[in-house]
Amino acid sequence: MSKDKIQKTNVARLLDKAEIAYELVPYTVDESDLSAVHVAAELGEDIAQVFKTIVLKGERTGHFVCVVPGDAAIDLKKAAKAAGDKKAELIAMKDLLPLTGYIRGGCSPIGMKKRFPTFFHESAAQFDVIYVSAGVRGLQLKINPESLMSYVGGSFADLIER
């Protein structure tokens, strides 16, 4: 992806339509390392501000989305509790694209095929901007967490292992 001409993603078009401020920030993809830690290093940003999007399935409540700091491990019990369930599990990687429309390393909390309950780790609230996937590998969205949360109808919760 050329840094001169950044292709607008569906995520960017949705935010434009909603008149929400954001910035598209390209980075170099390493197919052997799709981690948020790599993304943060490529961006030259603090890993605490680079968030990853994880899709889970609750035992009774169905699918939901968690947005957590890139170097954190999600706590399945805390995530289930946030979703109003007792148990939750990560979805299988093969189910990600058909369910969300996104691939691993390019999953955004914005513009999934269906709207799912979305929970942001509470640490996002301490930043003026956070980074999440813009819907494709190689492109991040720099956005105010409150604006993002409001747009997706999300809420803050304690979601990670300590």
Side-chain angles (χ1 to χ4, degrees):
M1 184 174 296
S2 165
K3 290 198 179 207
D4 305 329
K5 179 79 174 104
I6 297 172
Q7 286 286 336
K8 282 235 172 158
T9 62
N10 188 44
V11 169
R13 285 187 284 277
L14 289 168
L15 291 174
D16 286 346
K17 189 176 179 185
E19 299 181 354
I20 295 174
Y22 67 91
E23 184 181 332
L24 291 174
V25 184
Y27 67 93
T28 304
V29 177
D30 178 352
E31 293 294 334
S32 67
D33 184 1
L34 297 174
S35 72
V37 173
H38 170 75
V39 173
E42 283 292 317
L43 296 175
E45 294 293 341
D46 180 353
I47 186 62
Q49 280 181 267
V50 178
F51 284 68
K52 58 189 175 186
T53 304
I54 300 173
V55 183
L56 300 99
K57 184 171 185 187
E59 183 178 58
R60 296 185 317 266
T61 55
H63 294 100
F64 63 98
V65 176
C66 291
V67 183
V68 298
D71 63 345
I74 192 157
D75 183 314
L76 295 176
K77 282 194 183 305
K78 289 179 180 178
K81 184 178 177 189
D85 214 326
K86 286 189 193 283
K87 280 187 183 171
E89 61 186 18
L90 301 173
I91 65 165
M93 198 56 60
K94 68 178 176 48
D95 296 334
L96 185 63
L97 180 61
L99 185 69
T100 67
Y102 293 122
I103 59 172
R104 180 171 176 253
C107 188
S108 178
I110 300 168
M112 291 187 182
K113 286 182 172 182
K114 186 178 163 208
R115 220 174 164 121
F116 297 110
T118 304
F119 305 94
F120 291 80
H121 184 257
E122 56 201 8
S123 66
Q126 73 191 31
F127 301 110
D128 292 332
V129 295
I130 61 170
Y131 294 83
V132 296
S133 175
V136 294
R137 290 177 182 166
L139 197 58
Q140 288 282 297
L141 188 70
K142 181 179 180 181
I143 190 167
N144 174 277
E146 295 284 348
S147 297
L148 175 58
M149 193 174 68
S150 174
Y151 180 74
V152 300
S155 57
F156 289 120
D158 179 12
L159 301 168
I160 61 174
E161 295 177 358
R162 299 259 176 242

